[in-house]
Amino acid sequence: MPLPPAILPPLRPGAVIHGPGSYGVDTLLDGFSAELKRRGFRVGGLVQRNHGPGDDCAERMELVDVATGHAYDITQKLGRESQSCRVDPTGVAEASQAIRNAVASGVDLLVVNKFAGLESHGDGLSDELLAAIAEGVPVLTSVGSRYLNEWQTATGGFCDLLSPVADALWRWWGPQRMYQDLVQGVADADVRRVVTGDKWVLVETADGLGVAARQAPTAEGAAEDTAQRWTGRGLRDLAAMAAQSWDPLEIAVGVAALNAHYNRPDVTGVPGNGLDLFASVEGRVVVIGGFPQLARRLPRAKVIDMNPQEGEYPEAACDWLLPGADAVAITASAFANRTLPRLLRVSAGAEVAMVGPGTPLTPRLFDYGIQSLAGFVAIDREAVVRTIAGGGGSRDFHPYGRMVTLHRPPNLN
């Protein structure tokens, strides 16, 4: 019996902790929610925008509905000499409708600008915020350090405390969501061919051809591997299997569909082998999976493999070798077999590269903890098709394309 589609793991409420003033945090939440919306996630709730000196009592404050862009003025007119914070509870109450609307629509993320003075006393947006948490809606907010005790009391400690930097928000958002992220970036197109060889699969459209390695035998009870299985399905429909299916062949076809979109002939980057990125690293280098000529390119690397050879470590060594590593090279097969999210969490702080023909060449992956991507772009498509259909491996089809490496911009945060 086929398994039900994969669902995303639940998120504990995220609270960005900050000191006095919240101008920088307001901008952080605003930018993060806008980027998720741009990538196709459903985001709702409220972000705060201040117009004035840039603190919590700016000359004019407004709450902006993330979904609609509608702005609610929450500034009380107390005069320039007033020393009291000028948050208007009436304006906040009016804006709270945006939160209720977002919860009712089933958003992927609810942003609530802050848990502050009003909320610490059970007023403001506290009822809507805590009700959303109780319903299991993913919630992101900010909490001033002076209100931390009240926040912990209100939530019973059920939350993740986050540093006020973008990388911390993306780590909280979680690498499991990278699959849906990539699917949402795929422009739908007609699929010309799906070829499933003994070792690799490919998906081709008019604009590109993507490949992916087969991970395991097709799951018991899954549909047979026939051409009719893929007939009439669009590119985005196939790509969705990379995020939703548990069948190894369907996942491989899904990844190949992603790569048919992202690894098009017009993609530009640095040529060369991705393993060469770590040739000059002096600290601990860990490689996940077997690579051709690995011993020559990285002779000091510690290699972890699901089927370890002499001198290599078993998969269980990930939790011992990855923490504290300086550099980690991960085979693209980890993306296809869904072990990549765990590997990224354990490798936090290391320079991480994903390497292999099945690597999606898209900057969307940089925010999930990967600094470099080395993937394959097909040039002679017919030769790649013949090779994969005939049971050939990556060494056999490499001459009919080029390896391209993308690097995360150094100022990306």
Side-chain angles (χ1 to χ4, degrees), residues 363 366 371 407-413:
F366 291 146
Q371 285 74 41
H407 297 291
R408 172 175 168 154
N411 61 345
L412 186 62
N413 184 19

Side-chain angles (χ1 to χ4, degrees), residues 278 281-288 300-304 317-330 343-353 369 371:
F278 299 149
V281 174
E282 296 182 358
R284 187 197 311 164
V285 178
V286 181
V287 177
I288 309 295
R300 296 186 298 105
K302 299 183 182 299
V303 180
I304 300 173
C318 289
D319 292 311
W320 275 260
L321 295 179
L322 291 178
D326 291 88
V328 177
I330 303 174
L343 296 175
L344 291 176
R345 290 189 184 279
V346 182
S347 302
E351 188 83 7
V352 176
Q371 285 74 41

Side-chain angles (χ1 to χ4, degrees), residues 44-66:
L46 297 165
V47 294
Q48 183 166 331
R49 295 175 186 166
N50 296 337
H51 306 273
D55 58 19
D56 286 343
C57 294
E59 291 184 1
R60 184 166 64 86
M61 299 173 288
E62 60 185 20
L63 293 179
V64 179
D65 186 331
V66 173

Side-chain angles (χ1 to χ4, degrees), residues 183-363:
V183 171
Q184 290 170 166
V186 172
D188 205 7
D190 292 333
V191 174
R192 286 183 171 179
R193 279 186 286 196
V194 177
V195 177
T196 56
D198 292 339
K199 298 178 181 178
W200 288 77
V201 305
L202 69 85
V203 172
E204 183 185 18
T205 69
D207 296 322
L209 182 151
V211 302
R214 295 189 70 150
Q215 300 300 310
T218 301
E220 183 177 354
E224 292 185 5
D225 178 13
T226 63
Q228 289 74 22
R229 183 175 177 182
W230 321 109
T231 301
R233 300 181 64 174
L235 185 65
R236 189 161 183 170
D237 184 27
L238 293 183
M241 296 190 300
Q244 299 173 358
S245 179
W246 291 110
D247 174 61
L249 179 57
E250 290 187 347
I251 296 174
V253 171
V255 172
L258 289 174
N259 292 336
H261 172 81
Y262 290 110
N263 297 20
R264 294 189 300 268
D266 59 350
V267 68
T268 58
V270 180
N273 189 296
L275 292 178
D276 294 337
L277 298 169
F278 299 149
S280 61
V281 174
E282 296 182 358
R284 187 197 311 164
V285 178
V286 181
V287 177
I288 309 295
F291 291 92
Q293 302 179 352
L294 175 59
R296 180 177 65 82
R297 293 182 180 277
L298 296 174
R300 296 186 298 105
K302 299 183 182 299
V303 180
I304 300 173
D305 198 273
M306 294 181 68
N307 300 298
Q309 305 298 313
E310 184 178 356
E312 298 179 348
Y313 294 85
E315 185 182 9
C318 289
D319 292 311
W320 275 260
L321 295 179
L322 291 178
D326 291 88
V328 177
I330 303 174
T331 176
S333 294
F335 177 79
N337 65 25
R338 301 241 182 91
T339 59
L340 182 59
R342 171 184 168 239
L343 296 175
L344 291 176
R345 290 189 184 279
V346 182
S347 302
E351 188 83 7
V352 176
M354 183 159 65
V355 180
T359 297
L361 293 171
T362 168

